[in-house]
């Protein structure tokens, strides 16, 4: 009996690109380095997964979105996946393009759970706030404490550091004019972002040879003590009745691969955490964390090679 064709087919290259946070030049340089590193035929047919957080902190959110939007026409044989990060969800919330809650409720119903933080975080109270998802109000707010003790940095406008995003569109931080300033194609991009992406067969090089795995890409990770099937259904549905999406914004609770996914080999790849961390099939690719002095990185499968914007490569 002949071997199945799949066993002799060259594994498809998958590039998972970490948080760019408004650093357009870094993203351009990383893309160029990926092109140089990967065989051209493989690169042109690759699956490219952007892990979210395209906005805030860096100066050029508008240019970053222009670049991302241009990719499908420039590289028509690639497949592009744009995950929503927690920053992007908040940006989408502010400009009014988040899907409505599935149960028909108003976004304001969910504010109460976090209202103790409203004064400190200076939630947005300008035009349109009454119908806004909590994260949009936090994103465009004006935080009282100007110094972020955890990161040893100054806040840039809000708890999300959204000031540079407003500036990239030519409006002051916290101005409702941003809604008009953001082009329709950017709003469509923000509206279309997915909360999770799944692949049934991705190849990964391990010490024991090539391993065929499932892959789940989600900005922060999956919660460890909740049913994975239910989490995936919730993320696929983009259910916005929840004021804080743990899979997009959690920390320790989403760091590891949930135990039930370890029974069948599953890559779980995320950004978000401000670290580059690879442990087995848990891939966290956010070396930059939105810090100006740190690189933006990507991981290339099946090789597991890390590529950075700072790599100096011979063309």
């Amino acid at each position: 009996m002949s071997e199945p064709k799949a066993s002799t087919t060259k594994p498809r290259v998958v590039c998972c690109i970490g948080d760019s946070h408004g650093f357009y030049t870094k993203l351009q340089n990383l893309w160029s380095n990926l092109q140089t590193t990967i065989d051209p035929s493989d690169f042109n047919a690759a699956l490219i997964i952007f892990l979210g957080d395209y906005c805030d902190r860096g100066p050029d959110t508008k240019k970053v979105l222009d670049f991302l939007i241009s990719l499908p026409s420039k590289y028509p044989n690639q497949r592009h996946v744009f995950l929503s990060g927690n920053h992007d969800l908040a940006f989408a919330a502010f400009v009014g393009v988040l899907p409505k809650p599935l149960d028909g409720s108003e976004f304001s119903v969910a504010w109460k759970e976090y209202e103790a933080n409203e004064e400190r975080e200076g939630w947005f109270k300008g035009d349109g706030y009454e119908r806004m998802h909590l994260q949009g109000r936090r994103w465009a707010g004006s935080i009282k404490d100007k110094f972020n003790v955890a990161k040893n940095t100054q806040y840039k406008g809000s708890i999300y550091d959204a000031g540079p995003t407003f500036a990239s569109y030519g409006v002051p931080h916290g101005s409702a004019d941003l809604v008009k300033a953001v082009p329709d194609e950017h709003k469509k991009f923000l509206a279309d972002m997915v909360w999770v992406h799944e692949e049934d067969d991705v190849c990964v090089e391990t010490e024991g040879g090539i391993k065929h795995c499932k892959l789940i890409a989600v900005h922060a990770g999956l919660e460890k003590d909740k049913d994975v099937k239910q989490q995936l259904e919730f993320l696929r549905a983009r259910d916005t009745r929840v004021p804080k999406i743990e899979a997009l914004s959690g920390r320790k609770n989403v760091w590891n691969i949930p135990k039930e996914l370890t029974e069948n080999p599953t890559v779980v790849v995320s950004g978000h955490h401000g670290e580059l961390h690879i442990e087995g099939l848990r891939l966290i690719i956010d070396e930059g964390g939105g810090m100006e002095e740190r690189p933006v990185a990507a991981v290339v499968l099946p090789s597991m090679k890390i590529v950075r914007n700072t790599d100096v490569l011979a063309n």
Side-chain angles (χ1 to χ4, degrees), residues 99-110 131 239-242:
K100 300 296 181 199
L102 293 177
D103 62 359
S105 62
E106 295 293 329
F107 288 133
S108 56
V109 172
R131 298 173 301 283
D239 191 347
T240 56
R241 80 185 107 174
V242 177

Side-chain angles (χ1 to χ4, degrees), residues 176-235:
D177 290 344
L178 183 69
V179 178
K180 291 177 190 166
V182 173
D184 286 346
E185 61 179 358
H186 288 205
K187 287 177 181 163
K188 184 178 188 314
F189 176 88
L190 294 168
D192 290 346
M193 293 179 302
V194 296
W195 291 7
V196 67
H197 179 74
E198 300 158 79
E199 290 285 327
D200 286 333
D201 186 16
V202 165
C203 291
V204 177
E205 284 183 15
T206 67
E207 289 178 4
I210 289 275
K211 184 182 272 190
H212 288 263
C213 304
K214 291 193 168 189
L215 178 141
I216 297 171
V218 57
H219 180 64
L222 296 172
E223 294 176 81
K224 60 184 179 183
D225 297 325
K226 289 192 177 175
D227 179 80
V228 168
K229 188 181 175 190
Q230 287 181 357
Q231 289 190 67
L232 292 174
E233 285 174 357
F234 166 78
L235 292 168

Side-chain angles (χ1 to χ4, degrees), residues 30-227:
L30 174 59
W31 188 262
S32 176
N33 284 345
L34 287 167
Q35 269 187 301
T36 303
T37 303
I38 300 165
D39 176 87
S41 62
D42 289 341
F43 183 73
N44 288 327
L47 167 62
I48 314 284
I49 302 173
F50 289 89
L51 297 170
D53 279 1
Y54 314 113
C55 63
D56 302 342
R57 299 190 178 139
D60 292 318
T61 290
K62 185 173 188 284
K63 286 184 181 177
V64 167
L65 263 60
D66 282 335
F67 175 78
L68 297 175
I69 290 164
S70 76
L71 291 177
S73 58
K74 286 181 182 171
Y75 300 89
N77 295 322
Q78 288 180 345
R79 191 165 153 230
H80 305 95
V81 173
F82 302 107
L83 289 178
S84 175
N86 55 319
H87 286 255
D88 314 309
L89 179 136
F91 183 7
F94 186 76
V95 298
V97 297
L98 275 190
K100 300 296 181 199
L102 293 177
D103 62 359
S105 62
E106 295 293 329
F107 288 133
S108 56
V109 172
W111 297 348
K112 193 166 183 62
E113 188 179 341
Y114 292 95
E115 65 186 5
N117 301 329
E118 180 173 1
E119 187 182 348
R120 183 182 74 84
E121 294 177 357
W123 294 358
F124 176 77
K125 282 187 178 174
D127 287 352
Y129 89 91
E130 302 93 341
R131 298 173 301 283
M132 196 176 286
H133 189 279
L134 170 67
Q135 300 308 328
R137 296 193 64 198
R138 296 177 76 225
W139 184 77
S142 184
I143 191 159
K144 247 186 173 178
D145 305 319
K146 301 303 180 189
F147 192 74
N148 184 338
V149 177
K151 293 189 174 170
N152 200 32
T153 58
Q154 293 286 333
Y155 282 112
K156 296 178 179 180
S158 70
I159 197 164
Y160 275 99
D161 296 319
T165 298
F166 280 82
S168 79
Y169 290 95
V171 299
H173 175 70
S175 169
D177 290 344
L178 183 69
V179 178
K180 291 177 190 166
V182 173
D184 286 346
E185 61 179 358
H186 288 205
K187 287 177 181 163
K188 184 178 188 314
F189 176 88
L190 294 168
D192 290 346
M193 293 179 302
V194 296
W195 291 7
V196 67
H197 179 74
E198 300 158 79
E199 290 285 327
D200 286 333
D201 186 16
V202 165
C203 291
V204 177
E205 284 183 15
T206 67
E207 289 178 4
I210 289 275
K211 184 182 272 190
H212 288 263
C213 304
K214 291 193 168 189
L215 178 141
I216 297 171
V218 57
H219 180 64
L222 296 172
E223 294 176 81
K224 60 184 179 183
D225 297 325
K226 289 192 177 175
D227 179 80

